[in-house]
């Protein structure tokens, strides 16, 4: 895993926020992406980038997880039916690319945490997962997920 520290611009997105048990992330995420794509398709909008999930709160074992499921959109869009329009915050982020099944994301997160500690960086908020590849088209072993952690420098 190669860790980079980069500046990320704020990102305008169409989003849906859900609180869900960790074991139900997949179905909750699928439902949320469906709602977003329906709202976007309704007005003929094309996504401005790959879909993502943001986890703004710390994950606590046994507690439901807060996630913001989002699709980047044109910054000129200010309102959509049934979904939120917001700008995800920008700033300094540590990034790494996970390649492989989503079930393996935990190992990449652990490697990132170790590398952040080795570099004297500390997370300054919850991570984002940017789903670079479409799992309906890309073989599971080749799926790329960009992980981003805001960091204090």
């Amino acid at each position: 895993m190669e860790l980079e520290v980069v500046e990320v611009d704020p990102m305008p997105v169409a989003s849906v926020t859900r609180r869900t048990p960790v074991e139900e992330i997949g179905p909750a995420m699928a439902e949320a992406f469906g709602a977003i794509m329906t709202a976007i398709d309704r007005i003929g909008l094309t996504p401005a980038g790959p879909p993502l999930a943001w986890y703004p709160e710390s994950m606590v074992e046994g507690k439901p997880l807060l996630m913001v499921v989002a699709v980047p959109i044109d910054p000129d869009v200010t309102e959509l039916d049934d979904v939120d329009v917001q700008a995800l915050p920008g700033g300094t982020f540590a990034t790494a690319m996970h390649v492989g099944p989503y079930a393996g994301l935990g190992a990449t997160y652990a490697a990132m945490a170790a590398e952040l500690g080795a570099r004297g960086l500390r997370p300054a908020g919850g991570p984002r997962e940017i789903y670079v590849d479409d799992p309906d088209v890309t073989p599971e072993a080749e799926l790329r997920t960009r992980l981003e952690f805001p960091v204090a420098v």
Side-chain angles (χ1 to χ4, degrees), residues 79-92:
E79 189 174 313
L80 289 168
D81 291 338
D82 303 322
V83 300
D84 297 321
V85 173
Q86 64 176 312
L88 295 185
T92 305

Side-chain angles (χ1 to χ4, degrees), residues 59-138:
M59 296 179 191
V60 178
E61 191 171 331
K63 300 273 184 184
L65 173 70
L66 181 67
M67 67 178 177
V68 178
V69 176
V71 173
I73 57 174
D74 185 294
D76 294 335
V77 176
T78 59
E79 189 174 313
L80 289 168
D81 291 338
D82 303 322
V83 300
D84 297 321
V85 173
Q86 64 176 312
L88 295 185
T92 305
F93 284 77
T95 69
M97 189 67 72
H98 169 79
V99 178
Y102 298 135
L105 284 167
T108 304
Y109 275 121
M112 282 183 80
E115 183 65 20
L116 287 172
R119 293 190 190 189
L121 298 169
R122 62 184 184 356
R128 298 178 192 170
E129 298 173 353
I130 300 172
Y131 307 108
V132 178
D133 297 307
D134 182 344
D136 292 334
V137 177
T138 305

Side-chain angles (χ1 to χ4, degrees), residues 4-7 91-94 116 119-124 149-153:
E4 283 187 276
V5 177
V6 299
E7 289 300 314
T92 305
F93 284 77
L116 287 172
R119 293 190 190 189
L121 298 169
R122 62 184 184 356
F149 261 104
V151 292
V153 290

